[in-house]
Amino acid sequence: MNAFYLPLANQNVKNFNKHALVDLIRFAGRGVARTDIAQELGLTRASVTMIINDLIESGIILETESRSARSGRPAVVLDINPKSGLTAAIDMGATHLSVAVGDFSAHILEEVEQPFRIDDGPEHCLKEADRALRLVLEKSGLQISDLSAVGLAVPGPVISETGMVMAPPIMPGWDRFPIRTTLEKLWKVPVALNNDANLGALGEWVYGAGRGERNLAFIKVGSGIGAGLIIDRQIFGGTTGSAGEIGHLTIDENGPLCTCGSHGCLEAFAGGHAIELQAQKLVESGKRTLLSDLNIKSITVREVAEAARRGDLAAQEILHRSGTFIGIAVAGLINLVNPSVVIIGGGVAEVGDLLTAPIRKIVRERSLRAAEHAVKITTAMLGRRSSLIGAMVQATHIAIHSAIESKPTRNKAAYRADKELAEQSDHEEVILAKDKSNTPHASHLIE
Ligand SMILES: [Zn+2]
């Protein structure tokens, strides 16, 4: 069962069990039975009942029927109430902008996608994002004040405490710009900011190809290449938010110049931008290729993939080489992190087998056997939306946990009396969870 815990700054420690319980329900997929909750959190059924009643009363969770019951009969489970609020998600890529509004189960109500240039700088780009968000809201008959939170994915290393990016290679002008503060001032709703690859990992982990996994890596292959890591069910951002910058692993120190200023990074060999440059060079060389019919200055990865699918050997070779380089880096990552699943996502990953087949081959050849046996390499189940959905998950996270905090906490005496009453009617020992590593204080915080 999944659990994920990202404490908020304003979180009251007394509400720990409530927060843990809500996360357990959120990330379980299809609802959780009451008995499983008691066991997972190491609480008595009486305590669990009390917390659940409180959360149902405040409209955050609800009881529903699970259709996946093993017995065949529908079982009553607890799930997040998707209608308890609305959030928006914004995915800023190097060359695209996606904005969506959705409910608390990340069901998208409306979405827009438009061309965009992150290198236009923060003032221009945030204005664009604002305009796109207002358009999406207008289409759904909503206003910004209807949103509980907004999640934002950016293609650079994010320092979450400050809501800024630090020294982002492909975001000129954005270094330490107060992104979160600016948007919160503009919209007057909480804004959650994170790196796009990290949010891709989160999106796939909660709703996509990484459900239920403990350790996973999400490789985002877009114009650039980045990785998001979930280690022991937590996003791993590193000290300054730049963990997983797999695109800047050196493949060949004498290789082409990269956006980060170094030479021969993976991204400069295998990212979407590199693929397009190689396609241009191919056409310029005068070799026979279907790509010659296209406008040389604007050849896209999609066109290279299309030519490859139609049997163009030179186009196939470009994608094969890109997959091979990504495979070398992924094999190293697998040796380092030992994940159970590696998810290849981002726009370029939509190319499919032409890219993933060489990645799988190289991983088989180069990863240590123990790690290679345990890992599954797959494409993103959410397609282009991994980071967008991840941003929505993070926005919902803030919204739900803030809602728990804003509800007046009952005083300790009343809580204890309730607890004793409940325990008299339900003589049950505290069941300790088998694995409490993710909820370290679950049993003693309600005392
Ligand atoms: Zn680089």
Side-chain angles (χ1 to χ4, degrees):
M1 197 177 284
N2 281 358
F4 176 73
Y5 196 64
L6 189 87
L8 303 179
N10 64 343
Q11 203 155 295
N12 188 333
V13 77
K14 283 186 199 144
N15 290 331
F16 185 95
N17 286 330
K18 258 191 206 172
H19 291 289
L21 191 148
V22 160
D23 278 350
L24 194 66
I25 293 173
R26 280 186 77 204
F27 300 126
R30 291 189 186 84
V32 191
R34 284 173 185 249
T35 45
D36 292 339
I37 291 174
Q39 198 153 15
E40 276 285 321
L41 297 183
L43 299 173
T44 62
R45 283 174 73 159
S47 312
V48 168
T49 300
M50 213 153 50
I51 299 172
I52 287 170
N53 289 348
D54 230 23
L55 290 168
I56 291 178
E57 201 181 299
S58 46
I60 294 170
I61 63 172
L62 47 73
E63 279 186 310
T64 177
E65 281 184 356
S66 164
R67 266 154 275 139
S68 63
R70 266 171 253 142
S71 64
R73 273 182 307 155
V76 175
V77 292
L78 293 153
D79 213 337
I80 293 297
N81 179 2
K83 305 268 176 286
S84 56
L86 295 165
T87 58
I90 300 173
D91 179 21
M92 284 184 182
T95 58
H96 81 275
L97 174 73
S98 299
V99 180
V101 58
D103 66 18
F104 275 8
S105 58
H107 171 72
I108 291 181
L109 305 173
E110 198 67 62
E111 184 184 4
V112 292
E113 202 180 336
Q114 63 177 68
F116 177 80
R117 294 209 59 95
I118 197 82
D119 54 9
D120 281 339
E123 267 145 48
H124 181 86
C125 289
L126 295 183
K127 249 181 227 158
E128 282 288 290
D130 176 53
R131 202 173 307 148
L133 176 62
R134 287 176 200 273
L135 178 67
V136 168
L137 289 168
E138 198 187 303
K139 279 182 164 189
S140 13
L142 297 164
Q143 295 177 334
I144 288 184
S145 55
D146 294 321
L147 300 173
S148 301
V150 179
L152 174 64
V154 292
V158 170
I159 309 173
S160 45
E161 297 81 35
T162 58
M164 299 178 185
V165 288
M166 191 154 105
I170 62 162
M171 299 173 71
W174 289 80
D175 191 11
R176 287 163 227 247
F177 183 90
I179 303 173
R180 187 173 61 210
T181 323
T182 305
L183 293 177
E184 285 185 343
K185 216 181 270 174
L186 182 66
W187 297 332
K188 303 191 173 50
V189 290
V191 173
L193 182 70
N194 212 331
N195 168 265
D196 58 353
N198 286 351
L199 290 177
L202 184 60
E204 288 292 329
W205 184 62
V206 180
Y207 294 109
R211 271 193 192 195
E213 305 289 343
R214 195 176 190 105
N215 301 298
L216 73 84
F218 173 80
I219 315 291
K220 182 162 188 169
V221 192
S223 303
I225 301 176
L229 303 172
I230 287 185
I231 297 178
D232 218 2
R233 298 166 170 163
Q234 303 289 329
I235 291 180
F236 183 73
T239 308
T240 53
S242 71
E245 286 290 347
I246 198 173
H248 303 287
L249 283 182
T250 306
I251 296 284
D252 172 3
E253 57 182 341
N254 299 314
L257 182 67
C258 178
T259 50
C260 72
S262 294
H263 279 269
C265 295
L266 172 65
E267 188 168 303
F269 278 106
H273 187 58
I275 292 174
E276 286 160 5
L277 282 178
Q278 287 165 47
Q280 271 181 32
K281 273 196 190 142
L282 172 72
V283 174
E284 279 163 0
S285 75
K287 274 194 196 141
R288 256 175 70 115
T289 165
L290 293 170
L291 298 170
S292 306
D293 302 337
L294 303 167
N295 179 356
I296 186 166
K297 284 286 164 231
S298 61
I299 296 176
T300 63
V301 173
R302 212 170 276 185
E303 288 167 336
V304 178
E306 181 53 32
R309 258 183 233 114
R310 285 169 59 198
D312 188 281
L313 290 176
Q316 286 174 2
E317 173 59 28
I318 290 175
L319 294 173
H320 188 268
R321 207 165 39 215
S322 170
T324 302
F325 285 129
I326 295 170
I328 291 170
V330 168
L333 180 92
I334 289 170
N335 289 343
L336 209 59
V337 177
N338 187 202
S340 52
V341 62
V342 173
I343 302 164
I344 314 290
V348 178
E350 289 181 314
V351 163
D353 279 352
L354 288 165
L355 191 79
T356 49
I359 296 177
R360 286 199 181 94
K361 179 170 177 283
I362 294 290
V363 165
R364 266 198 309 275
E365 288 169 9
R366 288 180 175 244
S367 293
L368 296 176
R369 189 158 306 163
E372 191 266 317
H373 267 301
V375 74
K376 186 173 74 191
I377 294 177
T378 178
T379 44
M381 205 184 262
L382 305 175
R384 306 171 69 78
R385 290 200 184 92
S386 313
S387 301
L388 188 73
I389 296 289
M392 201 167 269
V393 169
Q394 197 163 32
T396 307
H397 193 82
I398 288 191
I400 288 182
H401 290 284
S402 301
I404 292 173
E405 287 300 327
S406 64
K407 194 170 181 287
T409 319
R410 290 187 294 171
N411 71 52
K412 218 172 178 179
Y415 201 78
R416 190 165 288 157
D418 272 1
K419 184 175 169 253
E420 277 164 12
L421 243 174
E423 273 176 357
Q424 278 165 16
S425 61
D426 185 357
H427 296 284
E428 195 180 10
E429 292 300 310
V430 173
I431 302 163
L432 293 175
K434 284 180 209 131
D435 176 4
K436 293 199 297 175
S437 59
N438 50 314
T439 54
H441 311 296
S443 55
H444 70 253
L445 275 171
I446 62 153
E447 293 304 321

